[in-house]
Amino acid sequence: MHSTSLSTLHTGETATIVAIHADEALHQRLLAMGFRTGKRVELIRRARFSGPLQVRIGTTDILLRKIEAEKITVHRA
Amino acid sequence: MKRIALLGMPNTGKSTLFNRMTGASARVGNWPGITVELLAGKILLGGDMVEIVDLPGIYDLHGFSDDEQVVRHFLHDNVPDIALVVLNATQIERQLSLLLQLKQLNLNMVVLLNMADEARKYGITIDTARMSEALGIPIFLLSAKYGTGYGEAMQAVTRALRYTTPGLAENLRDQLKPDGQIEAEMAHVLQHSVQVPARLPDNLTNQLDHLMLHPWLGLPIFFGIMYLLFQAIFLFGQPLQTGVNDLFSWLREAAITPLLASLPAVLQGLLLDGVYNGVATVAAFVPLIVLFFLFMAIVEDTGYLSRAAFLMDALMGRMGLDGRSFVMLLMGFGCNVPALMGTRVMRSRPLRLLSMLVIPFSLCSARLQVFVFITAALFSPKAAPLVLFSLYLFSFASAILTALLFKRYFPNTEPFVLELPPYRFPTLRQMVLRGWHEVSHFIHRATKFIVTGVILVWLLTHLPPSAAPASAGTLAGMIGAWLHPLFAPIGITSELTIALIFGFVAKEIVIGALAVIYGLGGQALSHTLALQLDWVQAYSFMLFTLIYTPCLATVATLRSESKRISFMLFSIGWSLALAWLASFMFYQGAKVLGY
Ligand SMILES: Nc1nc2c(ncn2[C@@H]2O[C@H](COP(=O)(O)OP(=O)(O)OP(=O)(O)O)[C@@H](O)[C@H]2O)c(=O)[nH]1
Ligand SMILES: [Mg+2]
């Protein structure tokens, strides 16, 4: 088990969130979207031309850019 | 009067509930951030009049974007007698955090877990009694869209009205507990009352997204859908418009003319060739507008907008914008004003301003009327839908060019984090409400601008009385001649120039103005236009109409949302310059090519 950033996951892969390194405003928004340490997150798909990622936490699907995903550290399952 | 406020995260169904409670037609859509302003309605509840307030969604009580500010100010200025907290039952696991934050404000709360229908489909079970006990707040499961559980919830709200209104702390933020504490509390409440299946059943949304968000097919499908929609609008809407037009012409001959026969000739002219022709020509577009907004309502409610944001974000990012800016461009197809206001969800001011600079290029339904009329008059039935589609592409192109040119003055690093809701479909009731809303909006604009507009045009084309109507000797002729050096190089005649001047107020007036200038309505006007203009002139005119300032309402919104007159003036100036340049290049280019 080693930690990596959410942006490195492959499609269909699931991981556990271990840390979020974002500024206050983004951090709060991520919390509200359901990004919390210990939660399982699945990468559903990536958009073309290095566009946003679609991830799933529980019953919520979220789009976020790669640069934001890099701020979220996860443990591969 | 007692006041009930609807609070909750975006896209949880607050406006749907508001419509159900008040019978109003607040805008509903499957997109977080449809409501960006406070909306109030009064109803009789438990024998008393109470005011219901629909608010924009908020994610938390910490940071605030411009739409969330509306909620903050509202809570600060008036403590609601009841805070009706609307949460999405299928996402209760994460949305509980907002409820726990709100709980610390000591409001008199009733919690509604909405979308019970979806929760059931997902196999999520919620023990509202236990949850209610754990939190000490009345909690009800309901479906605002379909009405199940609504009666019971309203009884609870009526009961809660009897409790006294608590005071609210001075500073909302200082009261909040640290997040860790909230997280522990969330886990505690959820553990005993909510059960979510480990794996959700593979649903329609997943399967559809497989196709809609396909890496290679996604964008072609997007443009394909758009093309089909506009083809459909042209196919169904244009005959409808012609039909209603004929009806108005018949009415004129059969009833209005005989009725006014006893009036003096000048007054007859003003009323018949001015007001009636102008207004009837515009009113003939009502069925087309209803049809158009039915399509818009369906697209907005399916949740496809968020998909469009996913598909386009990479491209928009390169232009200094993001996926949400693109969605606002799409919303602008209906009307630019709500699209401009929809940018309130953006926190970064430069991003908001740049988005607001490009949105007015979005081909709104008022401009659509002009284009449907002119393309039908000048192009073959086969070519017309293609011409219309090309104008939509020009609309995007103008927005893209503008963003690329000015992005360096609006640098931003706004994060792009957006929820992707499941696909939904509007109920018939929702569609009818929306259609009605747009018709009343249209009638409102019509009475406000169009009648005055066509009367003014009539006066300009008939004064001084010594000159022949619409000739060079009239006021309109003089204005046309004066602006001739500016408009001749782009192929726009003096009649069209007058129409464009009035089009600054609202695009609906353009066709009405032409009807008055030529003294003809409906079909007769189409025939005359086809004789007087060649297709290159007509297209140049449409390009100009597309790109220059949409209407006064948009200008006023640019001013109020940016809070800067200079920004508004810049937007007007740039769009005029771009409109002229685009028409010039098109017209002169076509001339050089021998058309
Ligand atoms: N399945 C289902 N869908 C619902 C229900 N209530 C609302 N919706 C849908 O959820 C979406 C959002 O509804 P809105 O009423 O616009 O939500 P809102 O909370 O006002 O959203 P914002 O104004 O963006 O904060 C729309 O597509 C509604 O049709 C419900 O009970 N069941
Ligand atoms: Mg709303």
Side-chain angles (χ1 to χ4, degrees), chain B residues 266-329:
Chain B
V266 180
L267 212 56
Q268 262 190 54
L270 172 67
L271 288 178
L272 276 175
D273 297 330
V275 178
Y276 188 80
N277 259 6
V279 173
T281 311
V282 180
F285 285 102
V286 168
L288 183 116
I289 292 300
V290 172
L291 189 73
F292 178 81
F293 277 103
L294 282 185
F295 283 138
M296 282 292 284
I298 294 174
V299 170
E300 271 177 23
D301 213 58
T302 54
Y304 189 69
L305 292 181
S306 309
R307 272 78 193 175
F310 174 81
L311 292 170
M312 294 298 287
D313 181 67
L315 197 69
M316 300 308 282
R318 271 165 214 147
M319 301 187 292
L321 298 165
D322 72 20
R324 293 171 302 176
S325 322
F326 184 73
V327 169
M328 291 307 132
L329 276 176

Side-chain angles (χ1 to χ4, degrees), chain B residues 41 159 201 246 254 344 497 506 510:
Chain B
R159 276 197 301 278
D246 292 343
R344 286 185 183 179
T497 306
V510 171

Side-chain angles (χ1 to χ4, degrees), chain B residues 351-579:
Chain B
L351 175 63
R352 240 202 112 184
L353 288 177
L354 188 61
S355 300
M356 291 205 287
L357 198 60
V358 304
I359 287 169
F361 296 112
S362 183
L363 197 167
C364 67
S365 61
R367 277 172 272 189
L368 176 68
Q369 296 169 28
V370 181
F371 302 154
V372 164
F373 194 88
I374 294 189
T375 47
L378 274 117
F379 294 88
S380 72
K382 262 214 152 56
L386 272 174
V387 172
L388 193 62
F389 188 63
S390 75
L391 287 163
Y392 278 96
L393 296 184
F394 265 112
S395 159
F396 280 136
S398 312
I400 291 174
L401 179 73
T402 301
L404 285 178
L405 281 176
F406 297 109
K407 71 171 183 184
R408 62 195 152 117
Y409 304 109
F410 300 94
N412 72 82
T413 52
E414 166 117 338
F416 174 73
V417 182
L418 185 71
E419 52 190 296
L420 192 72
Y423 286 103
R424 298 187 171 117
F425 201 78
T427 58
L428 194 65
R429 175 197 156 90
Q430 284 177 324
M431 289 197 271
V432 170
L433 269 182
R434 181 70 190 276
W436 168 242
H437 182 78
E438 294 305 333
V439 171
S440 62
H441 182 73
F442 183 84
I443 292 172
H444 176 76
R445 275 168 79 101
T447 46
K448 199 162 155 197
F449 294 128
I450 300 170
V451 176
T452 334
V454 293
I455 291 177
L456 273 176
V457 177
W458 191 87
L459 291 176
L460 284 181
T461 48
H462 287 77
L463 291 178
S466 55
S471 70
T474 61
L475 290 176
M478 288 182 231
I479 297 172
W482 184 63
L483 289 170
H484 184 76
L486 205 57
F487 284 96
I490 58 175
I492 291 179
T493 63
S494 69
E495 288 89 354
L496 296 181
T497 306
I498 300 296
L500 283 179
I501 292 175
F502 282 92
F504 192 87
V505 176
K507 288 294 169 289
E508 285 95 344
I509 305 179
V510 171
I511 296 295
L514 286 175
V516 176
I517 293 167
Y518 287 107
L520 300 165
Q523 287 297 88
L525 177 62
S526 303
H527 294 314
T528 310
L529 283 180
L531 290 176
Q532 300 237 334
L533 304 173
D534 59 36
W535 75 267
V536 180
Q537 278 179 303
Y539 200 88
S540 171
F541 174 71
M542 291 196 286
L543 268 184
F544 196 93
T545 307
L546 167 66
I547 302 173
Y548 87 116
T549 317
C551 63
L552 275 187
T554 300
V555 170
T557 310
L558 280 169
R559 156 99 180 77
S560 60
E561 294 296 307
S562 72
K563 301 187 185 72
R564 284 207 326 236
I565 293 184
S566 57
F567 181 79
M568 172 196 88
L569 291 175
F570 175 67
S571 168
I572 296 174
W574 166 243
S575 55
L576 277 173
L578 185 64

